[in-house]
């Protein structure tokens, strides 16, 4: 029996640079709620960005934000259910490593604000207006005014040439490729986040359906009873998970029938 549906956003519900969720998903969320099934966006994005994306249903959702480092319940504003804080000195050391590479921008995340020491102006507009984050500009990374829950690398030219510089080096801190332009480091992951939500709500992870498309979704897909990988995911991920789909909406439409 499915009691919770968790879905990644970028590359899963948003495709080919889309900035808005297909309205059909809001109809499906409403129908799921009528059946007593909860919907949970599960993303590397922050809470503010996810609420904006899911505005027609924002107050009804449980949110897994910052790759599992921040969890919010339903409501406006929703209750903060939990956060996983990085050790500050290690997080700042990683931020400095990122800053030292000319092609890399560093984004440091608090509970509901992102902090940037921008090298180029266009990254500010991209994160503030396209990604939709609450954003503050810092003179230096040491000026970060709150607990650090995530440190991210943003690469205009794509992550492929730089993944090995960070992922293997920071693997113990859940460093993972989070999309074509992002590498995220947290002490949590989506699997930890879903497990925490299930514990809070009294749901067996076997009763969870989840959708993902990238390596930062693996920890979530591995612990749920009904994992789906997107058709466009990397070959090793398509081999790992037998249930594939081009769009979660299609699986949900069939499920709701």
């Amino acid at each position: 029996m499915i009691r919770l549906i968790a879905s990644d956003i970028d590359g899963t519900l948003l495709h080919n640079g889309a900035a808005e969720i297909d309205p059909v998903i809001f109809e499906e969320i409403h129908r799921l709620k009528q059946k007593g099934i909860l919907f949970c966006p599960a993303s590397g994005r922050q809470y503010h960005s996810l609420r904006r994306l899911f505005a027609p249903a924002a107050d009804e959702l449980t949110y897994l934000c910052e790759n599992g480092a921040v969890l919010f319940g339903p409501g406006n504003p929703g209750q903060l259910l939990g956060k996983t804080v990085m050790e500050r000195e290690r997080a700042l050391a990683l931020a400095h490593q990122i800053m030292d590479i000319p092609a890399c921008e560093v984004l440091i995340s608090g509970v509901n604000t992102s902090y940037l020491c921008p090298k180029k102006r266009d990254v500010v507009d991209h994160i503030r207006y396209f990604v939709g984050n609450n954003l503050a500009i810092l003179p230096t990374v040491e000026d970060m005014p709150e607990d650090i829950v995530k440190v991210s690398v943003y690469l205009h030219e794509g992550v492929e040439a730089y993944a090995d510089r960070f992922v293997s080096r920071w693997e113990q801190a859940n460093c993972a490729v989070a999309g074509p332009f992002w590498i995220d480091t947290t002490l949590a992951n989506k699997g930890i986040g879903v497990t925490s939500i299930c514990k809070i709500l009294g749901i067996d992870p076997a009763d969870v359906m989840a959708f993902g498309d990238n390596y930062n979704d693996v920890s979530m897909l591995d612990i749920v009873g009904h994992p789906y990988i997107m058709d466009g995911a990397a070959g090793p991920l398509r081999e790992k998970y037998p249930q594939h789909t081009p769009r979660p909406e299609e699986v949900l439409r069939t499920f709701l029938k």
Side-chain angles (χ1 to χ4, degrees):
M1 176 181 176
I2 304 298
R3 297 185 59 196
L4 175 69
I5 294 173
S7 180
D8 173 55
I9 306 304
D10 296 281
T12 302
L13 286 178
L14 291 178
H15 300 275
N16 302 319
E20 295 183 359
I21 299 286
D22 187 332
V24 72
I25 200 69
F26 303 121
E27 300 172 14
E28 292 174 340
I29 289 171
H30 179 67
R31 292 175 63 194
L32 289 167
K33 184 180 179 182
Q34 290 178 326
K35 294 178 178 290
I37 301 169
L38 302 174
F39 190 88
C40 175
S43 175
R45 293 182 180 231
Q46 70 172 207
Y47 179 58
H48 177 80
S49 174
L50 290 173
R51 283 193 62 91
R52 181 184 65 85
L53 273 176
F54 286 88
D59 295 349
E60 303 175 15
L61 307 179
T62 298
Y63 295 86
L64 186 159
C65 318
E66 309 291 2
N67 281 334
V70 178
L71 308 173
F72 275 93
N76 185 18
Q79 178 185 2
L80 177 64
L81 301 178
K83 67 176 181 178
T84 302
V85 177
M86 299 180 72
E87 194 274 315
R88 190 175 183 89
E89 288 187 9
R90 286 177 58 80
L92 293 179
L94 174 56
H96 277 292
Q97 289 182 30
I98 297 166
M99 291 285 290
D100 288 343
I101 301 173
C104 298
E105 298 277 2
V106 61
L107 190 71
I108 306 174
S109 298
V111 166
N112 198 25
T113 302
S114 298
Y115 299 86
L116 187 68
C117 298
K119 298 173 185 176
K120 297 182 179 179
R121 177 67 202 181
D122 61 348
V123 73
V124 176
D125 293 338
H126 176 77
I127 293 169
R128 182 171 282 154
Y129 300 116
F130 181 79
V131 179
N133 280 16
N134 280 329
L135 183 66
I137 306 301
L138 298 178
T140 71
V141 294
E142 281 75 19
D143 293 304
M144 172 68 176
E146 60 174 301
D147 289 337
I148 298 171
V149 298
K150 188 179 73 176
V151 178
S152 301
V153 185
Y154 175 71
L155 289 138
H156 303 266
E157 60 194 62
V159 302
E160 185 174 353
Y162 294 88
D164 288 344
R165 294 200 190 189
F166 298 104
V167 174
S168 59
R169 193 171 186 178
W170 290 86
E171 187 174 7
Q172 75 279 12
N174 290 323
C175 188
V177 173
F181 305 103
W182 293 95
I183 301 170
D184 288 346
T185 301
T186 69
L187 289 184
N189 58 44
K190 292 185 181 182
I192 291 172
V194 168
T195 299
S196 297
I197 289 171
C198 286
K199 185 175 181 179
I200 291 166
L201 300 178
I203 294 174
D204 187 334
D207 295 331
V208 178
M209 180 186 293
F211 299 92
D213 80 306
N214 219 318
Y215 289 97
N216 66 331
D217 299 313
V218 166
S219 60
M220 172 177 70
L221 298 175
D222 279 351
I223 60 102
V224 304
H226 306 270
Y228 283 82
I229 195 73
M230 295 301 102
D231 285 348
L237 293 177
R238 296 197 308 273
E239 293 176 8
K240 182 177 175 66
Y241 303 104
Q243 298 188 103
H244 301 173
T245 182
R247 292 166 56 87
E249 297 94 319
E250 295 184 7
V251 176
L252 296 180
R253 184 181 303 115
T254 300
F255 171 72
L256 285 164
K257 289 181 180 177

